[in-house]
Each structure stands twice: as C-alpha cells, then as structure tokens.
C-alpha cells in the first residue's frame, strides 16, 4: 500500500474521528493496521471521551496496564447494556462521588463495591423480579451503602451517613441511605409480606431511613417508578411517586435510546442539587449529615431586618402524610447577625434576643393558622454578631399539598433580662409549602 | 510572492465586495472584517485573507492574540505547504458564509471539495489538525477514509490477518449492543 509516515500520522487522526469500534475492527486487516490501532494515544483519548477516565482504571477503581486494556475491559464488563446508558450511569456516580469526596468523605467510604451480574441475577431469582436496566447498572457500579461498623467511629455517627440525607424536627429523625442488594432482599421480603400488593408485584425496597422512623422507598420494577410509603403504608399500602412520571421511559426495552428509570433520575437530581448548592452538608459539632432543607431561593426565603437575617425553607414529609386527610411539612428557620451586630436607626447593639413569634400559615391562599406566641420550640435564642446561624426545625400539618408560611420574630436588642432598647420585629419572608417534583 | 488562493468558479461576487453588500450602508458600523491577515506557508507562498477567514483556525487565532505587534506581520505556518494551505483557506472562506448557503448547499460543496487524491487528503487532515479547524479535520478524515477503506476491503470484521491476540483483544466489537 505504500503508506508513509504522513499516512500513519493522518490515519491516527482519522481513527480518532472514526471511534473505538471502527478502530478495533480495522486492527485485523494487516500488521500495519494492527499497530496503528493499538496506539495508546488513541485508546487514552477514547477512554477520556467515553468514560471520562484520565487514568487506566477498571470500574472498581483498580489500575490496569494500558488504556487499550481499559477500554476493552469496560466494554466487556458492560456488554449486556447499551453503551450510552453505561456512560450516563458512570457520569451520575462520578458526580455524586466527586461531591462526597470533597465535602463528605465519610459517606464516600460507605459506598459499596459494584455488584456482579451474578449477584444481581441472584436477587432477581429470589425476589422474582426483573430489575430495570438503569437500576441494574447503578448497582454494577456501587452496591448500595455499607453502614455497619468497620469504617465508623461512633454508634451515633453512623445514623447520619445516608447518601440521600434527611432532616430532623422534634424527635422525628430521618436519614435516607441506599440499600445494598442483600438488604434489598431482606427488607423487601419483610415489608412486601405485610403489604397488600397484587400477586406478582414487582416492588423492591431500594432506600430507607437508617433511623427508627419507617421511611421506605420502593422501586416498581415493571414500570420503573420510585415510590415512598406514607403513614398508611402498612395498613393500605399507600405510596407516593417520587419522580415526574412523564420522564420515565420504558426500561426493559433494549433497543431504545435514552432509557431512564426513576432510580437513575432520582440520583441524577440529587447529584444536581448537591452540586448547585440547593442542599448542603449540615455540620453540628461532630455530627455531619446531608440536610434536605433547601438553601437557595425560590424555596428558601431570606429577609434582613435591622441586621437580623432570617432564612426559611420547608420540605415535604411523605412518611407522615395521609393522602385522604393531611399533608405534613417540616420547616427550618435560620437566624443570624452580621459581624457589625444589630443596627437600629444607626445605633449599634452587640446582641439581640428573640422573645415572640408571629406565624401565618396558609393552605393554598387561605389562612389556616395565625399564631402569636412566645419563643421558638421553647427557646429564646440570643444572637451574637458574626456567629454561626441559630437553626431550629418545626413542622406543620396542612390539609392541602400547597401553602405557605410567613411571619415575624419580635427581638429585643441586648438581652431579655437586660434590654438595651425597644423591641422590633424581624421579618420572616414567605416561603412555600409545596409537593415537590422529586421526593427525597 | 503574493498570490490569491484559487477561487471557486461558481462564486458570484468577490469576497471583499460581498462583505459590504451584506452590511448596512452605514460605513462607520463596518467592523474589522475588512482587516487582512497575511499567512505564509512552509514553502514560502504567501496568502492574504480577511481576518474572519483566518480566525476559523484556532491556532491562527491564538497566534494573533499572542503576537505583541498589533500589525501586519505575516504569520508563518511551518508545517503547511502552499497547495494545502490554499485548500484550507478555500474551505474556511466557504464556511464563514454560513448564512449565505443552506446546510444542503454546504454539504454538497463539501462533498465536491473532498474529491481529491488520498495523499492530499492525508495532508489536509494533518494541516487541519495543526490549524485547529475541527470540522475540516472531520470532513477530510471521512474523505480520506473512503479512499482507504476499499483498499483494505471494507470494515467487516473479517480476518484477513490471523492473530490470536487481535481476536481476543477486540471481542467486544461484536457484542450484543451496537451503541
């Protein structure tokens, strides 16, 4: 053929354009093409492009001898899935992993090694279900979270390492984690036995709260939707869908593009919210956890009065809902003073203390509660300049899935026992109560 | 030696006049599209082109941004020969006029453009890669590959060359998914 070095160089570039499959096919043509097709530069580019890999690693993170071996191994390990779906699921986990490695490595350490095809098939055999393709792939990368023992310091801390996270108000502590396959089997048999579900139902438990509160997430393997149990889960099997139904596409069809089931969408959304700061790490002394209370507008309102900054947001509490009678929302109120302190009409005060609260709660647009009372959860927080926010949580039942809360706190400059000036009202700007599109 | 790059026979209007026809009659609002850049190939040929054409190349763009003199020194491209540079500029000139041609016309023009011999196409791939003109890399690669493929007997996974290692290395190619 008489190809010279110009040809070789050009062919290298041409092969990068043709892609990994064509490159692989071409290698069998002649020795020259075999050599051209084996160039590490090509396979390192393909690994980067397809899998965002800049080092030759397998899907468990173990190093491999070359990029060519890496690409081959990945394709073989996942040959039973559409490649575009493999890339998408890897990308979803990469996003979550990168956030947790940076911000909450203790959670990253709990993420299990990927399950094997054999382990997944075993679960399917025992529970008599067929997992949707995206969920199978999710488990191939990480088999849930391992929350028991070796990697943890104290018993108290391991409650709060759920990847999904949660909230706490009064004694209602929730922290949701992803179940590893062996727990999926145990919990599914436990609960589905109690539930009055039709024969051959394809529900499995995929996530739950690690606290004693019963909050369970079910994946329906036949339609690919995720559900969370309400207060009536064990009596009438009542559940609420967690992901917008319109986004779910047929999940057992091998031939279509863009497959997505609720579990994939749910985890992608969670990663998205962590990265854009809508939800954040909560750090209280030694106890860290992911708090699901929104931190950004429009779901979180902010108001500043005389320096007193009040941020407020609510979340939907599905496990306390009774669809025929009531909804429940929990809300988190954060208040703080800037370093300059409390400034009223130009006069500076080095502290202020909460005395009264005024709360207006609406269901839709109708006022259902108008409260004037002392303290917040029995406390009279004293705000000092430049300190961390004082945070408290409470809740309100509502007869409708939509509403709002607003109000004000009466503060006294100085302290209640030693007032330095006249009391003033610090606004709590209206924040919404609404049924979210994604339920966590 | 100054020479104009070969023009299309079916060009209606010379490029400098085209620019003013497109803009409004207000002379003051005409941007620097009339600014010329001189490019010099590896074998000493020089080409004078409008800045917009030259800027299709990411490499040239970088060179212009980094050059301390604001003015008119020729930019030398040491690995691109004159005849190849001429073809590259022909491509760039055609493709900045995207609003004048429809996608269909451009595709048809592209198809004619790559009717070149294999060696020229290989050199075009390298030049376009060096110059950072992604679309031309793709186009020239397709053209070159269509010349190479019949020589090697198509892309069926046929074993013309028996090698165990090769076979084992690429089994995934014939896997169950085409994605």
């Amino acid at each position: 053929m008489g190809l010279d070095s110009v040809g070789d160089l050009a062919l290298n570039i041409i092969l990068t354009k043709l892609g990994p499959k064509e490159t692989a096919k071409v290698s069998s043509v002649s020795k020259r093409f075999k050599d051209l097709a084996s160039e590490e530069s090509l396979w390192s580019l393909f690994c980067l492009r397809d899998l965002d890999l800049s080092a030759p690693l397998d899907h468990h993170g173990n190093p491999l001898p070359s990029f060519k071996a890496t690409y081959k191994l990945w394709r073989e390990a996942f040959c039973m899935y559409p490649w575009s779906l493999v890339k998408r699921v890897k990308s979803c986990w990469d996003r979550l992993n990168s956030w947790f490695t940076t911000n909450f490595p203790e959670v990253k350490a709990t993420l299990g090694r990927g399950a094997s095809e054999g382990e997944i098939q075993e679960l399917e055999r025992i529970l008599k279900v067929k997992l949707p393709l995206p969920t199978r792939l999710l488990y191939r990368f990480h088999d849930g979270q391992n929350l028991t023992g070796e990697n943890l310091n104290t018993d108290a801390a391991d409650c709060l390492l759920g990847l999904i996270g949660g909230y706490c108000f009064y004694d209602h502590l929730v922290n949701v984690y992803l179940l590893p396959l062996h727990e999926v089997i145990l919990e599914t048999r436990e609960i589905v036995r109690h539930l009055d579900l039709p024969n051959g139902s394809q529900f499995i438990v995929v996530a739950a709260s690690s606290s004693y509160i019963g909050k369970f997430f079910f994946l329906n393997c036949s339609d690919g939707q995720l559900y969370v149990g309400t207060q009536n889960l064990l009596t009438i099997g009542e559940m609420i869908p967690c992901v917008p139904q319109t986004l779910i596409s047929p999940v057992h069809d091998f031939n279509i593009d863009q497959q997505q089931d609720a579990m994939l969408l749910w985890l992608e959304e969670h990663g998205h919210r962590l990265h854009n700061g809508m939800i954040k790490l909560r750090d209280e002394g030694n106890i860290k956890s992911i708090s699901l209370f929104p931190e950004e507008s429009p779901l979180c309102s902010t108001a500043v009065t005389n320096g007193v900054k009040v941020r407020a947001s609510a979340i939907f509490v599905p496990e306390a809902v009774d669809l025929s009678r009531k909804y429940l929302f929990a809300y988190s109120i954060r208040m703080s003073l800037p370093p300059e302190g409390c400034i009223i009409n130009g006069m500076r005060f080095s502290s202020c203390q909460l005395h009264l609260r005024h709360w207006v709660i609406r269901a839709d647009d109708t006022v259902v509660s108008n409260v004037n009372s002392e303290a917040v959860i029995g406390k009279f927080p004293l705000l000092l300049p430049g300190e961390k926010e004082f945070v408290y949580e409470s809740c309100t039942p509502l007869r409708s899935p939509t509403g709002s809360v607003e109000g004000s706190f009466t503060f006294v400059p100085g302290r209640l026992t030693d007032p330095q000036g006249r009391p003033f009202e610090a606004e709590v700007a209206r924040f919404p109560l609404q049924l979210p599109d994604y339920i966590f | 030696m100054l020479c104009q790059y070969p023009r299309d026979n079916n060009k209606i209007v010379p490029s400098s006049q085209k620019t003013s026809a497109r803009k409004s009659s207000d002379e003051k609002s005409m941007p620097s599209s009339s600014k010329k850049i001189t490019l010099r190939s590896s074998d000493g040929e020089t080409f004078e082109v409008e800045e917009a054409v030259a800027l299709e190349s990411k490499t040239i763009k970088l060179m212009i941004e980094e050059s301390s003199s604001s003015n008119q020194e020729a930019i030398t491209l040491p690995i691109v020969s004159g005849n190849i540079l001429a073809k590259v500029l022909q491509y760039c000139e055609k493709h900045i006029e995207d609003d004048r041609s429809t996608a269909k016309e451009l595709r048809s023009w592209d198809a004619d453009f790559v009717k070149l011999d294999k060696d020229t196409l290989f050199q075009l791939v390298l030049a376009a890669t060096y110059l950072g003109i992604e679309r031309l890399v793709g186009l020239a690669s397709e053209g070159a590959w269509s010349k190479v493929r019949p020589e090697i007997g198509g892309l069926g996974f046929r074993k013309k060359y028996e090698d165990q290692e090769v076979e084992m290395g690429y089994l995934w190619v014939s896997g169950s998914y085409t994605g």
Side-chain angles (χ1 to χ4, degrees):
Chain A
M1 234 186 308
L3 294 172
D4 55 358
S5 62
V6 165
D8 277 3
L9 265 172
L11 278 168
N12 181 288
I13 296 170
I14 292 170
L15 288 175
T16 66
K17 287 293 178 190
L18 290 177
K21 242 183 158 180
E22 307 307 295
T23 302
K25 283 185 188 171
V26 139
S27 68
S28 68
V29 164
S30 66
K31 171 128 186 22
R32 160 161 250 115
F33 271 97
K34 175 192 167 188
D35 290 340
L36 281 172
S38 303
E39 296 255 332
E40 270 294 275
S41 62
L42 280 176
W43 294 102
S44 118
L45 179 67
F46 295 146
C47 283
L48 185 65
R49 265 210 308 231
D50 277 15
L51 297 165
D52 201 25
L53 285 172
S54 39
L57 302 170
D58 71 10
H59 54 292
H60 297 302
N62 302 316
L64 293 168
S66 69
F67 281 105
K68 182 172 148 201
T70 302
Y71 196 89
K72 163 182 185 281
L73 199 95
W74 276 83
R75 289 301 296 237
E76 286 170 352
F78 294 101
C79 62
M80 61 294 286
Y81 302 96
W83 189 237
S84 56
L85 191 60
V86 176
K87 291 191 270 187
R88 182 172 169 181
V89 170
K90 178 179 193 294
S91 189
C92 173
W93 275 121
D94 280 352
R95 258 174 93 77
L96 286 166
N97 280 334
S98 77
W99 192 92
F100 281 98
T101 302
T102 311
N103 299 286
F104 201 174
E106 294 88 334
V107 166
K108 171 82 179 76
T110 66
L111 276 172
R113 184 188 154 90
S116 66
E117 280 297 310
E119 285 166 332
I120 294 175
Q121 282 158 16
E122 183 67 3
L123 175 143
E124 289 181 321
R125 187 188 64 80
I126 294 175
L127 295 179
K128 299 191 180 45
V129 294
K130 190 137 179 50
L131 291 187
L133 284 180
T135 299
R136 284 180 80 113
L137 259 178
L138 284 166
Y139 278 104
R140 285 289 308 273
F141 281 87
H142 286 292
D143 183 10
Q145 289 185 264
N146 178 11
L147 287 194
T148 56
E150 326 87 50
N151 43 358
L152 301 163
N153 296 329
T154 71
D155 286 351
D158 74 1
C159 263
L160 303 181
L161 293 180
L163 187 103
I164 303 294
Y167 38 85
C168 182
F169 55 94
Y170 301 118
D171 285 326
H172 189 100
L173 167 69
V174 162
N175 192 268
V176 176
Y177 73 107
L178 300 180
L179 269 56
L181 292 182
H182 67 267
E183 281 188 43
V184 171
I185 296 175
L186 285 170
E187 290 291 340
T188 302
R189 283 162 131 179
E190 241 331 283
I191 298 181
V192 172
R193 191 151 50 99
H194 290 293
L195 298 180
D196 192 18
L197 296 173
N199 232 2
S201 88
Q202 296 256 312
F203 283 91
I204 61 173
V205 180
V206 292
S209 177
S210 56
S211 63
Y212 75 89
I213 300 282
K215 182 171 184 177
F216 297 97
F217 288 86
F218 300 86
L219 180 70
N220 181 328
C221 295
S222 51
D223 70 8
Q225 174 61 283
L226 192 69
Y227 297 86
V228 62
T230 68
Q231 198 171 54
N232 299 324
L233 174 67
L234 294 177
T235 50
I236 58 173
E238 189 174 68
M239 305 176 177
I240 305 177
C242 298
V243 164
Q245 188 63 42
T246 50
L247 292 178
I248 300 176
S249 63
V251 286
H252 293 291
D253 188 341
F254 293 173
N255 294 316
I256 62 164
D257 240 354
Q258 273 297 70
Q259 311 216 0
Q260 41 197 38
D261 65 15
M263 186 103 185
L264 176 59
L265 290 164
W266 198 62
L267 286 176
E268 283 178 334
E269 178 66 18
H270 188 58
H272 187 59
R273 289 180 187 192
L274 285 167
H275 274 278
N276 69 14
M278 183 52 90
I279 54 178
K280 287 194 165 116
L281 176 71
R282 176 112 170 238
D283 197 335
E284 304 247 310
N286 278 333
I287 314 273
K288 298 202 281 187
S289 66
I290 300 294
S291 169
L292 292 177
F293 286 105
E295 295 277 340
E296 302 281 332
S297 80
L299 294 171
C300 182
S301 75
T302 307
V304 183
T305 318
N306 293 337
V308 178
K309 181 168 169 185
V310 182
R311 297 192 310 123
S313 64
I315 48 164
F316 177 63
V317 182
E319 67 275 18
V321 161
D322 177 344
L323 285 175
S324 62
R325 289 189 305 119
K326 77 162 185 8
Y327 295 84
L328 189 79
F329 293 90
Y331 52 83
S332 177
I333 314 290
R334 308 81 150 176
M335 46 187 104
S336 61
L337 276 182
E340 310 83 78
C342 176
I343 304 184
I344 310 176
N345 295 327
M347 273 190 59
R348 196 174 288 225
F349 299 91
S350 61
S351 70
C352 60
Q353 192 161 15
L354 188 148
H355 185 200
L356 307 167
R357 83 176 183 286
H358 174 220
W359 242 196
V360 177
I361 300 179
R362 288 182 169 80
D364 300 310
D365 291 313
T366 317
V367 175
V368 293
S369 177
N370 194 327
V371 175
N372 275 297
S373 179
E374 269 196 344
V376 288
I377 56 166
K379 298 186 179 165
F380 300 92
L382 176 72
L383 301 184
L384 298 171
E387 288 216 325
K388 254 179 72 160
E389 287 178 322
F390 170 83
V391 184
Y392 82 92
E393 279 88 14
S394 182
C395 66
T396 179
L398 212 67
R399 61 162 194 249
S400 134
T402 314
S404 65
V405 180
E406 66 197 275
S408 63
F409 297 125
T410 303
F411 274 89
V412 164
R415 314 170 98 87
L416 289 177
T417 51
D418 178 25
Q420 307 281 313
R422 290 186 23 202
F424 64 94
E425 285 193 23
E427 184 196 358
V428 181
R430 183 186 289 206
F431 58 96
L433 307 174
Q434 61 191 39
L435 201 61
D437 48 358
Y438 287 83
I439 301 182
F440 290 94
Chain B
M1 180 176 47
L2 196 77
C3 64
Q4 294 297 319
Y5 54 88
R7 293 191 181 269
D8 263 3
N9 289 332
N10 48 9
K11 242 186 220 168
I12 303 160
V13 172
S15 60
S16 52
Q17 290 177 27
K18 254 197 299 250
T19 319
S20 45
R22 245 186 300 156
K23 306 288 183 206
S24 69
S25 52
D26 180 6
E27 283 290 322
K28 269 185 268 192
S29 69
M30 197 181 310
S32 59
S33 58
S34 53
K35 180 175 173 198
K36 300 274 192 218
I37 303 281
T38 306
L39 301 170
R40 181 178 293 122
S41 69
S42 59
D43 46 357
E45 278 189 63
T46 50
F47 300 80
E48 196 185 67
V49 297
E50 287 173 27
E51 189 183 38
V53 173
L55 291 180
E56 285 281 294
S57 154
K58 289 206 180 97
T59 307
I60 295 180
K61 183 163 186 279
L62 257 166
M63 284 167 151
I64 293 178
E65 283 169 3
E66 286 177 0
S67 74
S68 44
S69 69
S70 57
N71 246 336
Q72 257 49 318
E73 269 177 31
I75 293 179
T76 307
L77 304 168
I79 69 164
V80 187
S81 66
N83 62 324
I84 298 297
L85 185 53
K87 293 301 286 179
V88 171
L89 293 172
Q90 190 184 9
Y91 177 88
C92 292
E93 157 91 26
K94 182 69 182 173
H95 277 262
I96 56 163
E97 303 163 5
D98 277 341
D99 53 340
R100 274 184 49 100
S101 325
T102 62
K104 195 168 155 210
E105 283 168 12
L106 277 177
R107 271 202 300 276
S108 146
W109 187 92
D110 281 355
D112 282 338
F113 178 75
V114 288
K115 284 177 183 160
L116 301 162
D117 65 276
K118 188 173 69 184
D119 276 335
T120 308
L121 285 167
F122 277 169
Q123 293 194 53
L124 211 44
V125 167
L126 293 179
T129 302
Y130 167 69
L131 292 170
I133 309 172
E134 270 312 298
R135 278 178 306 168
L136 181 56
V137 179
L139 178 64
S141 294
E142 271 174 41
W145 195 239
S146 66
K147 293 263 153 68
V148 173
R149 194 191 316 196
E151 288 173 15
I152 61 175
L155 283 180
F157 194 40
R158 272 177 282 155
K159 281 178 290 180
K160 282 193 164 180
Y161 167 62
E162 304 284 331
D163 187 319
Q164 262 286 334
E165 188 204 319
V166 167
E167 254 193 84
M168 296 311 288
Y170 295 113
L171 277 178
W172 57 264
V173 173
S174 47
S176 40
Y177 283 107
T178 51

